[in-house]
Structure formats: C-alpha cells, structure tokens
Amino acid sequence: MLRYLYYHVLYVGMINIMLFVPHVLIEYRFKGAVSGMALAMVVGSIVAIGTSVCFRRFPGLGMYEIFDCFLPGWLTKILSSYSALTWALGGLLVVYIQAELIRTFFNPDMNEYWNLLIMVIAALWASTRSIRTVQFAQEILILMCAPLIFMILFKAIGNEWLNWDAIRLAAGYVRTKPSFVSFCAATFLFSGYLNLIVFNRMATAKTSNRYLWIIPIFGVFFMLVTFFVPIGFHGTAGIDKYVFLWSTTADSMEMQYGFINRVLYLFLVLYTNLSLIFVMNAWHVTIDILHSVFTGKVMPVDPSSTPRGHWYFAIALGVATFVYAGFVNDEWNERISVYWLINRFFAEAILFALMIGFTVISGKRNAHRTAKALPGGGSS
C-alpha cells in the first residue's frame, strides 16, 4: 500500500497542467499568485500530511466506513455524496480538456466527439475494475510515463532560451497580498493523498508514515515548475492569453537527437496516459462511494466480479460527460475548472477537520478501553 500513495501524489502533481492550474496562477501573477503559492506550500503540506496520518489510524477502512463509525447515517451519506460528485466532476473536466487538446493539436478537422468517446470508454472500463486492479494499472502507467515527463520538465528548466530575468521579475511579487483563487489552485498540487478515501482499504496496521515528507517535496517542485517555466519561455506580458499554456511551452522545445523532433507530440501522448490515470482513479472513487451510499455496503478490495450497479454509475458518468461537452466552450470550461479547484479546497478542509476529530475520539475510546481492561480498571 505504501508506494501506491506516492503514485497518487506524483500523478496528481503532474496532472495539474490539465486543470488550468498554471492558467489560474499566471492570471494572478501580478495580483498575489506568488504569495498565494508560498502560503499553499505550508497549508497544503500540513493538510496532506495531517490527513494521511489520520487515515493511518484506521487501516483497512475507507472514508465511508470511518464516517459511518462516528456520524449519523444521513450525514455520512450526504458528505460521501458530496465527495463523490466532486471527484466525478474532476474526472469529467480532465477527460474533456484532454480530448479537446488532442483534437486541437493533432487533427482540428476531426469530429470533436470521437476523441472524447474513445477516452471516456477507456476511462469508464478501467474505473469499474477492482481497487487492486486499478492500483496495478496505475503503477504500470506511471512507471512508463513519469521518467519521460521528468525528462521534459528538466529539459525545460535547463533550456538555453529560458529567461531567468522574467522569472525573477515574477518572483518579486511575493510581497503582494495572497490571492485566494491562486491559493486554492496551488493547493491542488498536494491533493494526491485524497485518494485514500477509498484506497486506504488496502492499508494494513504495519503501513508506515515515515515517507510522508515526500508529499511536500513533490508538491513544491511541480508548483514552481508549473508557474515559472512558462514565464521563462514566454515572458510576463501576454502569457495569460494562451489557452493551452503548457502545450505551447512544450512546443517551444525540441529534441535535437530524438526520433521525434518536437517535444509537443511526446508531451501530448504522455499526458493522454496521465489523464486516463487521473480519470480512472477519480471515477473509480466516485463509483465506489456511490455504491456504498446507495447499498450501505462496502466493496471488497478484490471482488470476484463487477456489480451491475457499477455499470449504471459508469454509464451515467459517460452520458454526463457528453452532455457537458455539448453545452460548454473553452471559456466556460475554464471558469468551471476554477470553481472546481475552489470547491475541492473546501472539501479537503472539511475532511481534514473531520479526520482530526475522529482520530482524537478514537484515541480516547481506545484509552478508555485500555483503562477498563487493567486490573481494578472497572472499580469505582
């Protein structure tokens, strides 16, 4: 279980490019983005590590089971449904953005729904697999994609055309009052641990906390690269006009000795795989939680077959994606992505507060049981 948590942290940190996080930060680059990022480094690290530690106090239990132990049934269902809908929309946004990105750069004349159909079918089939299967598939894809993505990022950092004066100019706005929107967007880079709400069922009592310091390292690295590298390539003026900011940045580089000259094509292929990883996990979490909400039962880690209800939820997600694609344009999609990032931050804050409370209550219950078990513990 231990390594799978850090896979989630890794791919969520990388996928932020698909959720308009760089675009939000760039938009507020003179209005508090840098100070908001600095604040997000502290808050995001505390929330991520704190929530992860709390989940370790409940090995083998997901969010729904933990809530059910401490909250009334109706409140558990409301909070769980809220979490499921948040993840459902997150997966929908990523699959829509990536399908549009592929169509725009590879084949603009292609019907806009074909790419979306292919990605939705692949994501829905993967998301209906068991928890263990989803983790195994994720591990394989990340081990294939992550080295190449890091190669592109370090290639960008070391590029001779990277303007460090523009980066220093943007960094100088660190004294500006933090922007709440940019703060919420920046905290997303630390949110990989949130998948513990379902995947904590794979944890055991022996699962260790000793490597949780990796979470802030990944988060801070991806945050700095996400924000400053595009500024280094395109400058501080007019950079907010790009719709697909990092795709344009990747197209500013070339691999002189590679069999593919333009980095853009490799970048898009890698991020297509990364998008499928995110959507697979997001919609798996959605389906799993909705299964518990409607049936009151918890799915085992490795069931013998997929329940029929999971396919109904999957079909509903697929239909919702196409309805969404039929009604929104790039501008509306960007706005909805920003609202989603803000909503996700509040969802994290609520979960963090609840998990701390549940951990304290659980510790007091265990202490009380221990005291009663001691000789003379039951006497007045």
Side-chain angles (χ1 to χ4, degrees):
M1 168 60 195
L2 183 62
R3 69 183 188 276
Y4 294 115
L5 171 62
Y6 304 110
Y7 289 146
H8 288 289
V9 172
L10 181 59
Y11 81 74
V12 169
M14 292 187 289
I15 201 62
N16 78 88
I17 292 172
M18 295 293 105
L19 280 177
F20 289 103
V21 172
H23 198 279
V24 173
L25 297 178
I26 293 297
E27 182 180 352
Y28 288 88
R29 63 196 182 280
F30 302 134
K31 297 178 290 184
V34 180
S35 51
M37 289 163 55
L39 183 60
M41 291 178 188
V42 178
V43 175
S45 298
I46 292 173
V47 173
I49 294 177
T51 309
S52 300
V53 170
C54 290
F55 266 106
R56 296 290 169 84
R57 295 292 300 272
F58 304 95
L61 299 179
M63 180 191 70
Y64 183 87
E65 305 95 279
I66 297 173
F67 281 11
D68 203 35
C69 291
F70 297 94
L71 299 175
W74 62 270
L75 186 55
T76 295
K77 292 182 182 297
I78 290 175
L79 292 175
S80 297
S81 298
Y82 168 56
S83 178
L85 293 176
T86 299
W87 278 111
L89 181 57
L92 187 154
L93 290 171
V94 169
V95 75
Y96 172 80
I97 294 169
Q98 185 62 24
E100 279 295 297
L101 193 62
I102 293 294
R103 185 179 69 87
T104 300
F105 285 95
F106 277 131
N107 192 357
D109 297 326
M110 185 178 182
N111 185 293
E112 59 183 312
Y113 294 110
W114 279 114
N115 281 331
L116 187 61
L117 177 63
I118 294 170
M119 292 194 66
V120 166
I121 290 175
L124 289 179
W125 181 86
S127 64
T128 54
R129 304 304 94 192
S130 69
I131 292 177
R132 195 179 302 278
T133 302
V134 168
Q135 297 309 286
F136 289 164
Q138 167 190 277
E139 181 174 31
I140 293 171
L141 289 172
I142 287 181
L143 292 177
M144 290 171 55
C145 297
L148 294 173
I149 291 175
F150 275 109
M151 180 195 74
I152 292 175
L153 296 181
F154 283 112
K155 182 178 179 64
I157 295 171
N159 195 286
E160 59 180 328
W161 298 108
L162 193 70
N163 188 338
W164 289 96
D165 290 331
I167 293 175
R168 280 191 288 269
L169 176 62
Y173 285 85
V174 69
R175 297 181 180 88
T176 307
K177 181 181 178 180
S179 161
F180 179 70
V181 175
S182 60
F183 165 75
C184 291
T187 55
F188 175 72
L189 289 103
F190 300 87
S191 297
Y193 73 93
L194 277 176
N195 288 288
L196 286 171
I197 62 178
V198 166
F199 298 116
N200 194 58
R201 292 175 192 153
M202 293 181 64
T204 65
K206 296 181 179 180
T207 304
S208 172
N209 292 321
R210 58 182 175 176
Y211 296 114
L212 291 178
W213 51 267
I214 294 176
I215 297 177
I217 290 178
F218 277 149
V220 171
F221 170 76
F222 287 122
M223 184 187 299
L224 297 177
V225 171
T226 294
F227 178 72
F228 287 113
V229 167
I231 289 176
F233 273 97
H234 307 294
T236 57
I239 187 175
D240 57 326
K241 304 301 180 184
Y242 292 107
V243 177
F244 301 113
L245 177 59
W246 257 92
S247 299
T248 308
T249 302
D251 205 24
S252 303
M253 297 181 285
E254 64 176 4
M255 293 184 290
Q256 186 175 359
Y257 303 107
F259 61 92
I260 301 176
N261 182 257
R262 296 175 67 181
V263 172
L264 173 65
Y265 296 132
L266 178 60
F267 177 84
L268 291 178
V269 170
L270 292 172
Y271 267 86
T272 298
N273 289 333
L274 203 62
S275 299
L276 288 173
I277 295 174
F278 182 89
V279 181
M280 172 183 69
N281 279 292
W283 283 353
H284 177 85
V285 169
T286 300
I287 292 171
D288 193 286
I289 293 176
L290 291 178
H291 171 88
S292 298
V293 168
F294 282 95
T295 66
K297 301 177 181 178
V298 176
M299 282 295 297
V301 172
D302 196 10
S304 57
S305 61
T306 302
R308 183 180 300 176
H310 284 204
W311 291 110
Y312 296 149
F313 293 136
I315 292 172
L317 288 170
V319 171
T321 302
F322 280 93
V323 171
Y324 178 86
F327 282 94
V328 301
N329 53 29
D330 289 339
E331 182 180 355
W332 271 102
N333 185 64
E334 180 182 340
R335 291 182 183 179
I336 294 171
S337 297
V338 173
Y339 294 144
W340 183 86
L341 288 168
I342 297 173
N343 172 74
R344 173 216 46 86
F345 172 73
F346 283 111
E348 281 193 52
I350 293 171
L351 178 64
F352 178 55
L354 288 174
M355 289 302 299
I356 288 179
F358 297 157
T359 301
V360 172
I361 294 172
S362 176
K364 290 182 177 179
R365 287 180 180 176
N366 291 336
H368 181 66
R369 293 194 192 101
T370 302
K372 291 185 68 175
L374 294 173
S379 61
S380 57

